[in-house]
């Protein structure tokens, strides 16, 4: 059973989507996908840069293998947490 609030909420969402589409010329769902892809790309680039710095430090002898393993696991865990968080939106 649909209440008045549910019908009103649906009508408002449709009006907001249509208003956004009219003003910007872009579908809100497509815009959300583009923004999510850009955020993912930036996070991936930052993770790759940090990984490169860690591997260079290991290659230069500034850290041992156990530190390298710990850092790589830490970076992967943080990366996965961020991806899960972004997946909710």
């Amino acid at each position: 059973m649909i209440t008045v609030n549910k019908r009103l909420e649906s009508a408002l969402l449709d009006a907001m989507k249509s208003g956004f589409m009219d003003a910007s010329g872009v579908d809100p769902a497509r815009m959300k996908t583009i923004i999510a892809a850009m955020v993912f790309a930036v996070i991936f680039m930052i993770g790759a840069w940090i990984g490169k710095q860690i591997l260079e430090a290991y290659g230069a002898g500034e850290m041992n293998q156990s530190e390298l393993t710990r850092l790589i696991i830490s970076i992967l865990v943080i990366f996965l947490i961020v991806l899960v968080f972004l997946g909710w939106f």
Side-chain angles (χ1 to χ4, degrees), residues 60-88:
E62 297 174 8
M63 67 176 66
N64 58 25
Q65 189 174 5
S66 65
E67 290 173 331
L68 174 70
T69 305
R70 184 183 54 83
L71 285 172
I72 289 175
I73 291 171
S74 299
I75 294 296
L76 286 175
V77 167
I78 292 170
F79 185 70
L80 290 174
I81 289 171
V82 170
L83 287 181
V84 167
F85 180 72
L86 287 175
W88 280 338

Side-chain angles (χ1 to χ4, degrees), residues 1 5-6 10-11 13 15 17 27-28 32 34 36 40-41 56 58 60 62 65 68 75 78 80-81:
M1 183 170 165
N5 289 337
K6 291 291 183 189
S10 176
L13 287 176
K17 287 179 184 178
D27 182 34
K32 180 181 175 183
I34 291 170
F40 175 76
E56 284 179 358
Y58 178 70
E62 297 174 8
Q65 189 174 5
L68 174 70
I75 294 296
I78 292 170
L80 290 174
I81 289 171

Side-chain angles (χ1 to χ4, degrees), residues 7-29:
R7 283 185 284 170
L8 182 61
E9 186 177 307
S10 176
L12 285 174
L13 287 176
D14 291 340
M16 287 190 293
K17 287 179 184 178
S18 131
F20 184 84
M21 182 86 164
D22 291 342
S24 68
V26 179
D27 182 34

